């Protein structure tokens, strides 16, 4: 590892010949556009660089006949699909691409091939591929042009239902094919909009369960005839727009007479329910007293006898298993504490696999034998820095301008740092998302080596706090969520160990927009900011985000085609209040970003430069909505460290 690091370092450093000796610096690679970023000292590779030398693992699938796992992990520059044949076994890399492969699914009938999706350069125009296990050959099975998202295998195991923008470039139609024979690929049902997702096939494969998502709080379920493509509303009368019922995952029961699903119908939180197809009324499986947090995901065992689900309880994940016959809970052994990602039953009906990470681990894969209670760890991911002493998150709460209680997670630096500590506020994206106490990755360097306190707020609009809370930032309420951060600044000022005179703010995607907004309207309360793929004007963002997602975003942010909404969004746009941004800013973007076009970053950086507000700009030509390639992630982090040392810590 060290030899490889020295080779990379030698290739990226330069020293002026004939000039007085200078510290070597890290030169940006040719794929990076850098403007205003000073030379980065190479010494950061030996210090901050160690905090970027880690990898995690996530569960992709179980082998259908063997007790083996498909996982996603990174050995080189990007995550790829690997096979693990036993708990603690070696990770056998199967895919080798410049762009990441984050997941894959075995062919259910024997596992002779794996279906996976991949894009190019972060553009998110995903194609589906077949990896043949015996030969290692990879075959493109979609058209190579449209955006394709894999759905679910048929019950017979020979067909896949998926969505594709092939017909119009923006509408995600329902397609079906046998990946072993791509010539079988065919359009089943034409659909309007971009929020469609096939959830499951009926046991006899005559029907496909299809979800239409209008927003986080509004969705509809349909049954599609797998032969004719005709679709019928599962809930009669429940297709009237504005019903505001959310549906999450949904699966057919093994009899085919009903479906298991998550929904908030008549409730504040997403609950686990069962619905008969002939009498489509959600019957909750979790009692009202227990249903005080969202059920995030679930999986039904192959024989239909057990259902496993994950509840988000104040940001931490709790796994439960219930018997479907009598809705009684199966006792489970004590599990590692953290945040659960993917979760999947083995076909044997007793091994439940799941991914988990926490403040001290970058993510690993485990399994529970629910019959014996045995817990096994399938991967142990490496970190260059020992994580045992990393601080756990502290849940904190503060009162906002209107009395609403807002919460977040605080990470305090070690006691070795004296005096009040500077603060970095890290705002999550979405906005339909939630900051949870997961592994901080490179940010552990800021915490443990620079002594910067980190706060991850869950402002109004975040998920996990009920369906009343999540739409509280929609449309004309947008400024209220900015005020939640201003109230956080008041809370920081009241904390004896935090320095309210040294605050920086950062975030990605919508968190980037929040960063820009806070930098605009509360510039006097911060030292600097780091905007990552953020929207500088919600009007220009909505007009230029990819067509397949535009209507979904309008529900959240407001429809810019409405004159009153457009006037409001233009009024609050950081881009239109540029003179109010007084503090230094680092702007980071990907050239191929389909969600937040690179122009959103370029225009704010250009305007700041014109008015002589200090601004650094970094654009990666081979990335999209956030950096996925490790060399790009490393350079971004080194530059961020330099920026914070210059403008926050001095």
């Amino acid at each position: 590892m060290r030899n490889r690091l020295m080779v990379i370092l030698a290739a990226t450093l330069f020293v002026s010949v004939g000039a007085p000796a200078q510290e070597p610096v890290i030169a940006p690679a040719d794929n990076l556009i850098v403007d205003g970023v000073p030379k980065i000292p190479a010494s950061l590779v030996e210090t901050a660089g160690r905090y970027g030398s880690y990898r995690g693992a996530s569960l992709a699938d179980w082998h259908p006949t063997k007790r083996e796992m498909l996982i996603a992990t990174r050995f080189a520059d990007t995550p790829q699909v690997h096979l693990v044949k036993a708990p603690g076994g070696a990770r056998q890399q199967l895919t080798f691409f410049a762009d990441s492969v984050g997941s894959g699914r075995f062919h259910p009938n024997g596992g002779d091939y794996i279906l996976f999706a991949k894009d190019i350069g972060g553009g998110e125009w995903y194609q589906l591929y077949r990896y043949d296990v015996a030969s290692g050959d990879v075959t493109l099975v979609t058209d190579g042009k449209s955006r394709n998202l894999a759905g679910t295998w048929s019950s017979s195991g020979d067909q896949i239902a998926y969505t594709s923008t092939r017909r119009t470039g923006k509408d995600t139609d329902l397609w079906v094919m046998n990946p072993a024979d791509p010539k079988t690929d065919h359009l089943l049902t034409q659909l309007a909009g971009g929020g469609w997702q096939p959830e499951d096939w009926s046991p006899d494969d005559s029907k496909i369960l299809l979800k239409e998502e209008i927003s986080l709080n509004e969705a509809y379920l349909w049954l599609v005839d797998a032969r004719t493509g005709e679709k019928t509303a599962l809930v009669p009368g429940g297709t009237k727009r504005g019903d505001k019922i959310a549906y999450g995952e949904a699966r057919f029961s093994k009899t085919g007479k009903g479906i298991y699903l998550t929904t908030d119908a008549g409730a504040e939180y997403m609950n686990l329910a069962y619905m008969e197809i002939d009498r489509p009324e959600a019957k909750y499986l979790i009692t009202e007293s227990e249903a005080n947090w969202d059920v995030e995901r679930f999986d039904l065992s192959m024989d239909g006898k057990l259902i496993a689900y994950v509840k988000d309880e104040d940001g931490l994940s709790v796994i439960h298993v219930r018997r479907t016959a009598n809705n009684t809970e199966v006792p489970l052994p004590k599990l590692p504490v953290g945040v659960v990602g993917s979760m999947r039953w083995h076909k044997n009906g007793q091994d439940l696999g799941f991914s988990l990470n926490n403040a001290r681990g970058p993510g690993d894969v485990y399994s529970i034998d629910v019959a014996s209670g045995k817990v096994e760890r399938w991967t142990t991911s490496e970190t260059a820095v020992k994580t045992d002493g990393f601080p756990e998150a502290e849940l904190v709460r503060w009162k906002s301008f209107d009395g609403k209680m807002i919460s977040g997670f605080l990470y305090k630096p070690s006691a070795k740092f004296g005096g009040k500590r500077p603060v970095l506020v890290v705002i999550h994206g979405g906005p339909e998302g939630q900051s949870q106490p997961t592994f901080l990755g490179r940010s552990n360097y800021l915490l443990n080596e620079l002594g910067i306190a980190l706060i991850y707020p869950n402002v109004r609009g975040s998920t996990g706090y009920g369906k009343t809370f999540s739409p509280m930032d929609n449309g004309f309420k947008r400024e209220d969520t900015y005020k939640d951060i201003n109230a956080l600044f008041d809370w920081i000022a009241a904390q004896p160990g935090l320095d309210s005179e040294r605050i920086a703010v950062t975030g990605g995607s919508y968190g980037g927009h929040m960063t820009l907004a806070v930098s605009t309207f509360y510039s006097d309360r911060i030292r600097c900011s780091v905007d990552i793929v953020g929207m500088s004007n919600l009007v220009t963002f909505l007009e230029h985000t990819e067509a397949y997602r535009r209507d979904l975003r309008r529900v959240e942010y407001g429809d810019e085609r409405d004159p009153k909404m457009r006037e409001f969004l233009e009024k609050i746009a950081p881009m239109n209040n540029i003179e109010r941004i007084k503090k230094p800013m680092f702007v980071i973007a990907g050239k191929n970003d389909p969600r937040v076009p690179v122009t959103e970053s370029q225009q704010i950086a250009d305007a700041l430069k014109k008015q002589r507000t200090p601004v650094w700009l970094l654009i990666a030509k081979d990335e999209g909505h956030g950096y996925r390639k490790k060399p790009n992630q490393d350079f971004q982090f080194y530059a961020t460290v330099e920026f914070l040392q210059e403008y926050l810590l001095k």
Side-chain angles (χ1 to χ4, degrees), residues 216 428-435 458-459 461-465:
L216 175 71
H428 68 72
E432 303 101 332
Q434 182 187 23
S435 287
N458 282 313
V459 294
S462 301
T463 56
Y465 302 94

Side-chain angles (χ1 to χ4, degrees), residues 50-51 56 77 235 279 298 418 458 610 628 634:
R50 296 176 62 239
Y51 282 82
D77 292 339
V235 183
R279 300 175 60 188
F298 75 90
N458 282 313
K610 185 176 181 180
R628 289 190 267 177
D634 286 342

Side-chain angles (χ1 to χ4, degrees), residues 97-373:
F97 294 100
D99 293 291
S100 66
V101 180
S103 189
R105 296 294 301 273
F106 277 110
H107 177 212
N109 294 343
D112 53 324
Y113 66 84
I114 296 164
L115 190 71
F116 68 90
K118 185 185 74 68
D119 71 351
I120 296 176
E124 298 186 17
W125 291 94
Y126 295 104
Q127 303 301 318
L128 303 183
Y129 297 83
R130 187 186 71 233
Y131 172 90
D132 292 301
V133 173
S135 65
D137 292 340
V138 175
T139 303
L140 174 68
V141 297
T142 45
D143 68 341
K145 301 175 183 178
S146 57
R147 172 182 164 89
N148 306 275
L149 297 179
T152 179
W153 287 104
S154 62
S155 297
S156 66
D158 287 329
Q159 295 187 92
I160 188 82
Y162 71 101
T163 57
S164 177
T165 61
R166 198 173 314 174
R167 180 173 58 88
T168 66
K170 65 175 184 177
D171 298 308
T172 51
D173 297 326
L174 181 63
W175 289 68
V176 171
M177 84 165 127
N178 179 350
D181 181 10
K183 293 179 181 179
T184 63
D185 193 20
H186 63 282
L187 171 64
L188 182 63
T189 306
Q190 292 187 8
L191 303 169
W196 300 90
Q197 173 67 29
E199 292 289 321
D200 200 10
W201 295 66
S202 61
D204 63 0
D205 284 338
S206 65
K207 297 286 191 297
I208 296 174
L209 182 58
L210 183 68
K211 182 176 74 171
E212 177 190 12
E213 187 170 88
I214 304 300
S215 71
L216 175 71
N217 301 97
E218 183 180 357
Y220 305 91
L221 294 174
W222 301 82
L223 292 175
V224 179
D225 188 302
R227 185 178 60 85
T228 67
E230 180 182 359
K231 70 180 183 10
T232 306
L234 179 62
V235 183
T239 57
K240 182 180 179 182
R241 305 299 139 166
D243 285 350
K244 304 298 184 185
I245 294 174
Y247 295 106
E249 296 178 323
R251 301 286 183 272
F252 277 101
S253 67
K254 293 309 169 182
T255 64
K257 295 180 180 180
I259 62 169
Y260 292 95
L261 70 161
T262 53
T263 181
D264 64 1
E268 181 65 21
Y269 294 92
M270 295 291 284
N271 200 335
L272 186 64
Y274 178 76
M275 180 187 294
E276 294 179 6
I277 291 176
D278 292 338
R279 300 175 60 188
E281 180 181 348
K283 298 178 181 178
Y284 288 122
L285 304 182
I286 303 174
T287 63
E288 187 175 343
S289 61
E290 297 175 285
N292 52 352
W293 298 104
D294 281 340
V295 174
E296 293 185 313
R297 60 182 52 85
F298 75 90
D299 195 29
L300 186 66
S301 63
M302 181 60 62
D303 59 12
K305 294 180 179 180
L306 297 173
I307 189 165
Y309 61 96
V310 178
K311 284 180 66 181
D312 169 10
E313 300 184 4
D314 240 338
L316 289 174
S317 298
V318 180
I319 295 177
H320 299 265
V321 175
R322 287 179 183 263
R323 303 175 184 91
T324 57
N326 56 12
N327 195 31
T328 57
E329 188 147 358
V330 177
L332 298 179
K334 185 177 180 180
L335 300 174
V337 175
V339 177
V340 172
S342 53
M343 181 181 68
R344 192 174 301 282
W345 285 104
H346 191 282
K347 273 192 173 182
N348 63 23
Q350 67 183 50
D351 282 314
L352 179 67
F354 63 95
S355 311
L356 179 139
N357 79 37
N358 53 38
R360 295 177 178 172
D364 278 302
V365 181
Y366 301 78
S367 69
I368 319 167
D369 183 326
V370 296
S372 68

Side-chain angles (χ1 to χ4, degrees), residues 238-549:
T239 57
K240 182 180 179 182
R241 305 299 139 166
D243 285 350
K244 304 298 184 185
I245 294 174
Y247 295 106
E249 296 178 323
R251 301 286 183 272
F252 277 101
S253 67
K254 293 309 169 182
T255 64
K257 295 180 180 180
I259 62 169
Y260 292 95
L261 70 161
T262 53
T263 181
D264 64 1
E268 181 65 21
Y269 294 92
M270 295 291 284
N271 200 335
L272 186 64
Y274 178 76
M275 180 187 294
E276 294 179 6
I277 291 176
D278 292 338
R279 300 175 60 188
E281 180 181 348
K283 298 178 181 178
Y284 288 122
L285 304 182
I286 303 174
T287 63
E288 187 175 343
S289 61
E290 297 175 285
N292 52 352
W293 298 104
D294 281 340
V295 174
E296 293 185 313
R297 60 182 52 85
F298 75 90
D299 195 29
L300 186 66
S301 63
M302 181 60 62
D303 59 12
K305 294 180 179 180
L306 297 173
I307 189 165
Y309 61 96
V310 178
K311 284 180 66 181
D312 169 10
E313 300 184 4
D314 240 338
L316 289 174
S317 298
V318 180
I319 295 177
H320 299 265
V321 175
R322 287 179 183 263
R323 303 175 184 91
T324 57
N326 56 12
N327 195 31
T328 57
E329 188 147 358
V330 177
L332 298 179
K334 185 177 180 180
L335 300 174
V337 175
V339 177
V340 172
S342 53
M343 181 181 68
R344 192 174 301 282
W345 285 104
H346 191 282
K347 273 192 173 182
N348 63 23
Q350 67 183 50
D351 282 314
L352 179 67
F354 63 95
S355 311
L356 179 139
N357 79 37
N358 53 38
R360 295 177 178 172
D364 278 302
V365 181
Y366 301 78
S367 69
I368 319 167
D369 183 326
V370 296
S372 68
K374 184 178 182 180
V375 178
E376 293 181 290
R377 185 169 183 167
W378 286 69
T379 64
T380 302
S381 294
E382 306 89 341
T383 58
V385 179
K386 295 294 184 183
T387 65
D388 296 348
F390 285 5
E392 299 283 359
E394 175 186 341
L395 179 64
V396 297
R397 292 183 171 88
W398 62 94
K399 186 178 292 186
S400 194
F401 71 98
D402 57 355
K404 177 65 65 178
M405 292 303 297
I406 308 297
S407 66
F409 292 99
L410 166 65
Y411 295 82
K412 293 180 179 178
S414 165
K416 70 181 180 182
F417 296 100
K420 290 188 173 185
R421 301 316 308 156
V423 180
L424 178 63
V425 176
V426 186
I427 308 173
H428 68 72
E432 303 101 332
Q434 182 187 23
S435 287
Q436 295 178 281
T438 55
F439 189 66
L440 299 182
R442 293 168 176 80
S443 294
N444 280 303
Y445 176 79
L446 309 179
L447 181 67
N448 299 324
E449 304 296 339
L450 299 184
I452 301 173
L454 305 175
I455 300 179
Y456 292 75
N458 282 313
V459 294
R460 67 190 68 204
S462 301
T463 56
Y465 302 94
K467 68 179 181 184
T468 301
F469 191 82
S470 57
M472 290 182 69
D473 64 340
N474 286 6
F476 290 107
K477 304 173 186 176
R478 184 60 47 199
E479 291 175 294
D480 290 352
T481 194
Y482 308 159
K483 296 175 184 177
D484 288 343
I485 299 298
N486 188 45
L488 172 58
F489 294 157
D490 293 337
W491 181 87
I492 292 171
Q495 306 309 304
L498 303 180
D499 188 352
S500 63
E501 298 298 318
R502 291 189 294 168
I503 298 176
V505 63
T506 186
S509 190
Y510 177 72
H513 169 76
M514 286 285 292
T515 296
L516 293 171
V518 171
S519 300
T520 301
F521 301 114
Y522 305 108
S523 181
D524 60 325
R525 307 205 69 175
I526 66 172
R527 282 281 190 94
C528 59
S529 61
V530 181
D531 159 41
I532 306 169
V533 298
M535 305 91 94
S536 55
N537 184 331
L538 292 176
V539 171
T540 55
F541 155 70
L542 289 167
E543 289 177 336
H544 296 104
T545 192
E546 283 291 349
Y548 61 78
R549 64 191 311 276

